[in-house]
Amino acid sequence: MDRSFVEPRRRARRTALATLAAILSLSLEVPARADDAASVPRYSIAATLDTDAGVIRGRVAIAFGNTGRDTMRQAYLRLYPNRFLQDGDEVNDITRMHVYPENEFVAGGLSVDTVAASDGTQLASRIIRREGAPAETVLEVDLGAPLEAGATTTVVLDFTTSLPERFGPFGRTELGDSAVAGWYPYLVPRASDGSWLWTAGPARADVSASLTSSPEVTLVAGSDVFPAPHAPTVQVESRRVATFALIALPGASVTTEEIDGTTITFVAPRKLRERRLAPGPAAPELFRDAVKRAIGLRPATLPSPPTLTVAQVPLRWNLATPSDGIVVVSDRALRVHELLRPFHEAQVAQAVYAELLRSLMRACPEQQPRWISDGVAWALADRYQGAVSPEHPSVHDWIDWFDVFAIVDRFETAPKVPFVQALFRNARSDDDLRENVFDYSGDRPPARLVFARLDRSVGAAELARAVDAQIASPCAPFTTALRAATGATQDAADRDLDAALAPSPAEDVPVLVDPSLRPARERSRYQLVLDTADVEVSSTEFGLAALFVARERGDYTRDLAINPYLTERGYGVNAGPRVHFGPRSDANTYRHNLHAFYDHAWLDRGFRDDSQPEVRDGGQIGGFGLRYDYSNVYFFDNPTEKREARVFVDWYDPDLGGDYGFVRFGGRITATTPILTPRTIAAGEITVGFEEPTDGRGVPTQAQFSLGGRRALRGVSVNEKLARNIGLARAEIRQDVFPEVDFNLLDLLVYRRPQLQLFVDTGQVDDSAGRAVNPGRFAIAAGTGINVLYDFMGFFPGRAYIEVATRLDRDQTDFQVLLGTRQAF
């Protein structure tokens, strides 16, 4: 964490705490307004944000009414920050780097210190469990007196909220503190019949707040912006909003611009360790232009408010996050290659249109479901994209053009990249990390998916007319707009909506996008795809291989693989069927894999064993091989709890097209595990292999195991010694180095941070199997390396390494340099 602003904060904290004490000494009982006290709660807040500790201490008085028909004896409050007491499976090897600033979980939460009635009478309260709501997030409060239907009361709570160290709408990083929503206790919403909606997002309310923080930070409170320096305590009020933001950014930039009568205030965190080598305007300018363009191209029936606040915070997995009263977007919006910017720009436009729609709907007597404003906003964003970049291809166009590559085919079903919602209209979730207050405890489909389903069921033209009708009558139910646009009966419109709003069916490993909503285009039944390409380079060896796979489209359980390769030993190809089965690691990969193949290779006579320089083998080898692999790896670039195993058997014979006869067999196991935190990973590998000749020519040098090289002892030449048997053990420590940087090269590669590596390889090759697996005879090599984390085109994470190693078990001054991608093992 960068604490360069800590000292000014500490100087301001004493004043802040004194101010809070004075505020809390006042009565916070709020008289209910007769017109809407029962239906629209009112929150009166006095709080201090300690930006040094990431803690909010305060008191909230909640005036609310009984909107049900029955007498109310308990009230239920949501403690949203307790969602961050622990994380679940949503944080994995790919999402972790987009969640934790330093790859380590630091909890956040909310504790309620006291609960009282407006007259100061203490009220009993307790944490309870309710189906669908995360643990510790529902507080039951016994009311002092039964609350009859239509009557109002006030509950006062003292609370302390700790922000977790994480990117996203609720957390703290070196860029500042973000509490976009839910940082104080708020009422669990109720249905029209008075039942409590345990998994729903917050209902709209009136909020008034007295907030104290360091004057040295730029403060966003509700929809108001207070650039630094500002008064230690500020007063803010928002009407009929579902969320009330509290964002503090030291060194933030605040820019004000105007378009069509709307004054837009842009707030963005300071730049940290950024370097950009790329032509054209910078991302902040592109972002501001996109927001202004979205407002300028809005429908004439959609008014723009006099003022609009647009805040950028360190979101890393989602490009935008739901809010109310302000627009909240990632500070990495539009920081991608120009080919991908239209995707980002469309979601920025959606976030703007959603706020304009909510501003319009705040005047409605009844609160509209949030999916209506969000879904209509997505429809308007699609129109915006069509107007701004009509020739821009969709993600499905890209996939169709490059469908020959399996990585693109897999990208459609299991994308392992951030900002997926900006790419896929049919993404099944817009809250994969369960972190925004509207979705973290529910299974509702995102608004864009709802409207994509409606597009399919009622037609694009009809849905467009329904969108226009909804904008014209924002307080009417969406079924009214749908009926007017389609001419359907009420029952038919209700059925279409029910189907569109239905949760996605449960799956063992969910597909991240809805394949049924893919554009209807002709596609071949079978695929011949380039599955992977592997390049290994060192100072003593070279290897190039590719894996072509033919399979029936969408069937990842069986395929036919063709693997051509070229190395310093020779060149060849193996081909055969593969079967994948068992539990799935993701939508496309399985834990168990079986590969049978025929291998034919032409040997390079120039390859030799330096320990037997007079031996030169040539000719060909031909034979059959069998591989069984087990792998639980989800993200190959940096797995933290990897378990892999391989068993192999190969049979080569002159009758199978070669000049040599021999059998090869053995196995390999590899594993990784975190050491205290995922920032430090221990990795290990054990390999044994054996070869036996079956004819008089023996095993050719090119087919024997090597003591050195990328797959054996790094730091030893691949030619130094070769033999028929091998025993090998390798160990490695991988240490992530922080903080992150942002070094941009032509918007193609963005360097993020390094990972340091220390490794020791030990083993032996020998024609005697006993000596090869005898640890007392093992050679040893060690080295170090740097594994670089980068983004390709600004969003696709990858790794590349450079390693330097040398032999330790004898006097040797030579060393080996190795280059490549992914991890060594």
Side-chain angles (χ1 to χ4, degrees):
M1 293 290 177
D2 183 355
R3 299 302 185 191
S4 60
F5 52 92
V6 166
E7 289 307 319
R9 292 180 175 188
R10 287 174 175 167
R11 288 194 297 269
R13 186 164 52 175
R14 291 188 293 272
T15 301
L17 292 176
T19 302
L20 175 61
I23 292 172
L24 294 184
S25 66
L26 302 176
S27 171
L28 286 173
E29 181 177 355
V30 178
R33 295 189 299 276
D35 57 344
D36 61 359
S39 60
V40 180
R42 182 172 183 84
Y43 296 84
S44 296
I45 305 169
T48 286
L49 169 61
D50 182 345
T51 49
D52 185 13
V55 173
I56 306 169
R57 299 178 178 88
R59 173 177 289 180
V60 56
I62 309 174
F64 62 97
N66 181 1
T67 58
R69 295 185 295 270
D70 300 328
T71 300
M72 182 193 298
R73 290 177 170 78
Q74 285 87 26
Y76 295 92
L77 303 177
R78 182 87 72 209
L79 309 182
Y80 160 74
N82 288 347
R83 146 69 184 91
F84 302 100
L85 291 171
Q86 59 186 8
D87 279 321
D89 295 338
E90 73 278 357
V91 179
N92 52 47
D93 285 343
I94 181 65
T95 60
R96 184 177 293 106
M97 71 182 82
H98 304 285
V99 177
Y100 306 138
E102 295 189 357
N103 273 7
E104 183 177 6
F105 171 75
V106 178
L110 186 155
S111 62
V112 174
D113 305 314
T114 63
V115 184
S118 58
D119 61 2
T121 303
Q122 296 297 300
L123 302 178
S125 64
R126 64 205 62 87
I127 298 289
I128 63 170
R129 290 299 305 266
R130 286 295 182 267
E131 184 177 0
E136 308 290 325
T137 60
V138 178
L139 179 71
E140 182 180 67
V141 176
D142 295 335
L143 299 178
L147 192 63
E148 302 299 329
T152 63
T153 190
T154 299
V155 173
V156 182
L157 302 95
D158 291 307
F159 66 92
T160 302
T161 298
S162 298
L163 296 174
E165 288 190 4
R166 63 187 289 141
F167 298 117
F170 192 83
R172 63 192 311 255
T173 69
E174 59 181 336
L175 295 175
D177 299 338
S178 300
V180 173
W183 52 272
Y184 52 87
Y186 61 90
L187 287 167
V188 174
R190 302 182 75 188
S192 57
D193 62 359
S195 59
W196 298 91
L197 304 176
W198 304 112
T199 62
R204 66 183 180 183
D206 294 339
V207 181
S208 61
S210 176
L211 302 171
T212 301
S213 72
S214 167
E216 305 305 319
V217 301
T218 291
L219 191 67
V220 180
S223 58
D224 294 349
V225 178
F226 301 91
H230 54 76
T233 300
V234 299
Q235 310 293 327
V236 185
E237 183 158 354
S238 296
R239 290 268 292 155
R240 297 195 172 215
V241 292
T243 66
F244 184 85
L246 180 57
I247 301 169
L249 304 174
S253 66
V254 179
T255 307
T256 302
E257 301 193 26
E258 186 171 333
I259 182 172
D260 289 355
T262 297
T263 300
I264 311 170
T265 302
F266 294 94
V267 182
R270 59 181 172 170
K271 296 180 180 180
L272 288 176
R273 299 175 296 277
E274 291 188 25
R275 298 290 186 275
R276 184 173 185 264
L277 177 59
E285 181 181 347
L286 293 170
F287 176 76
R288 292 193 296 269
D289 288 345
V291 172
K292 292 188 294 182
R293 193 158 44 242
I295 292 176
L297 293 175
R298 72 190 188 281
T301 54
L302 181 60
S304 183
T307 61
L308 180 67
T309 299
V310 180
Q312 291 185 273
V313 300
L315 309 179
R316 293 293 179 266
W317 188 251
N318 293 321
L319 194 64
T321 190
S323 57
D324 204 352
I326 61 174
V327 177
V328 181
V329 182
S330 170
D331 61 338
R332 288 192 178 171
L334 276 73
R335 292 177 181 266
V336 290
H337 191 271
E338 61 182 346
L339 290 174
L340 299 175
R341 285 175 192 158
F343 293 115
H344 276 219
E345 192 167 339
Q347 189 162 10
V348 169
Q350 187 275 339
V352 171
Y353 292 142
E355 178 53 31
L356 298 189
L357 286 161
R358 285 191 292 271
S359 179
L360 189 63
M361 292 176 174
R362 286 183 192 119
C364 298
E366 300 292 333
Q367 182 176 355
Q368 288 280 46
R370 190 176 186 88
W371 64 265
I372 296 178
S373 59
D374 286 349
V376 170
W378 271 118
L380 296 181
D382 289 340
R383 295 183 192 179
Y384 167 85
Q385 190 174 45
V388 172
S389 52
E391 303 301 322
H392 183 259
S394 72
V395 68
H396 295 292
D397 291 330
W398 286 106
I399 290 172
D400 287 346
W401 295 338
F402 294 96
D403 200 34
V404 67
F405 299 106
I407 190 172
V408 177
D409 184 62
R410 290 175 175 174
F411 182 75
E412 185 174 24
T413 54
K416 297 179 181 179
V417 295
F419 310 144
V420 166
Q421 289 73 27
L423 302 172
F424 287 97
R425 182 174 183 175
N426 52 337
R428 287 185 168 181
S429 172
D430 60 3
D431 191 23
D432 297 329
L433 300 177
R434 301 189 303 112
E435 59 186 4
N436 81 64
V437 294
F438 296 96
D439 293 322
Y440 77 102
S441 64
D443 59 356
R444 293 169 295 278
R448 193 171 189 178
L449 180 58
V450 171
F451 272 62
R453 291 172 175 175
L454 288 173
D455 185 297
R456 179 184 60 180
S457 62
V458 306
E462 290 78 5
L463 183 59
R465 289 197 295 270
V467 166
D468 291 332
Q470 187 66 45
I471 296 173
S473 301
C475 298
F478 190 72
T479 49
T480 302
L482 204 57
R483 289 177 59 195
T486 63
T489 64
Q490 182 68 49
D491 288 344
D494 287 342
R495 284 196 299 271
D496 286 333
L497 274 181
D498 289 343
L501 292 166
S504 299
E507 297 175 305
D508 292 338
V509 179
V511 176
L512 300 185
V513 297
D514 189 336
S516 67
L517 294 177
R518 194 188 196 282
R521 298 172 181 171
E522 184 176 349
R523 306 180 80 185
S524 64
R525 179 180 178 184
Y526 298 98
Q527 290 180 297
L528 178 62
V529 296
L530 175 60
D531 191 293
T532 59
D534 189 20
V535 179
E536 292 183 357
V537 180
S538 77
S539 54
T540 59
E541 63 179 319
F542 170 80
L544 175 64
L547 178 62
F548 295 91
V549 179
R551 65 162 179 270
E552 188 171 4
R553 184 178 298 279
D555 184 359
Y556 287 90
T557 63
R558 55 186 178 176
D559 51 50
L560 178 66
I562 303 173
N563 173 216
Y565 55 88
L566 170 67
T567 74
E568 73 281 3
R569 297 171 183 247
Y571 62 93
V573 62
N574 60 59
R578 301 192 307 175
V579 179
H580 315 281
F581 57 97
R584 291 188 297 175
S585 297
D586 60 29
N588 307 306
T589 60
Y590 291 79
R591 297 289 178 89
H592 304 285
N593 307 273
L594 192 62
H595 184 197
F597 59 91
Y598 172 75
D599 179 32
H600 194 95
W602 290 262
L603 307 179
D604 185 346
R605 191 173 182 84
F607 182 81
R608 67 178 186 178
D609 179 351
D610 290 343
S611 65
Q612 304 179 72
E614 72 283 355
V615 177
R616 296 294 182 96
D617 294 324
Q620 306 173 39
I621 58 173
F624 289 102
L626 185 66
R627 302 281 187 275
Y628 164 76
D629 291 320
Y630 169 87
S631 174
N632 70 345
V633 177
Y634 181 77
F635 182 56
F636 288 92
D637 278 347
N638 194 40
T640 59
E641 295 186 355
K642 175 175 73 173
R643 302 293 182 268
E644 284 189 312
R646 163 172 286 191
V647 177
F648 60 90
V649 178
D650 301 325
W651 172 43
Y652 294 88
D653 194 271
D655 292 336
L656 298 177
D659 300 316
Y660 300 87
F662 61 95
V663 175
R664 177 194 296 134
F665 59 94
R668 182 181 68 202
I669 58 173
T670 62
T672 62
T673 187
I675 301 177
L676 299 180
T677 77
R679 290 181 300 181
T680 307
I681 303 297
E685 176 185 28
I686 296 176
T687 299
V688 293
F690 308 95
E691 291 177 326
E692 288 293 331
T694 58
D695 68 2
R697 297 198 65 180
V699 181
T701 301
Q702 294 86 342
Q704 294 180 13
F705 297 108
S706 173
L707 178 65
R710 177 63 177 165
R711 301 297 182 186
L713 270 65
R714 290 164 286 183
V716 178
S717 168
V718 72
N719 300 96
E720 181 170 317
K721 183 179 181 182
L722 295 104
R724 298 197 309 267
N725 306 290
I726 186 172
L728 177 68
R730 306 204 288 178
E732 189 168 287
I733 297 294
R734 303 165 184 166
Q735 176 65 54
D736 284 329
V737 179
F738 294 93
E740 277 197 349
V741 298
D742 189 346
F743 295 164
N744 186 322
L745 177 62
L746 302 176
D747 290 329
L748 286 174
L749 297 176
V750 184
Y751 169 74
R752 293 299 181 198
R753 68 171 185 267
Q755 182 186 72
L756 300 182
Q757 298 170 311
L758 294 174
F759 56 84
V760 176
D761 302 335
T762 183
Q764 188 59 268
V765 294
D766 202 284
D767 288 337
S768 166
R771 287 195 292 266
V773 297
N774 181 0
R777 302 179 61 89
F778 278 8
I780 186 169
T784 185
I786 297 178
N787 194 320
V788 171
L789 175 67
Y790 64 89
D791 291 347
F792 176 64
M793 298 187 75
F795 82 110
F796 200 97
R799 286 185 181 271
Y801 65 81
I802 179 170
E803 298 172 340
V804 179
T806 189
R807 191 165 177 173
L808 299 181
D809 59 316
R810 66 186 188 192
D811 184 18
Q812 180 174 328
T813 58
D814 294 339
F815 62 91
Q816 189 177 38
V817 180
L818 304 99
L819 309 170
T821 59
R822 296 186 176 177
Q823 297 284 4
F825 53 88

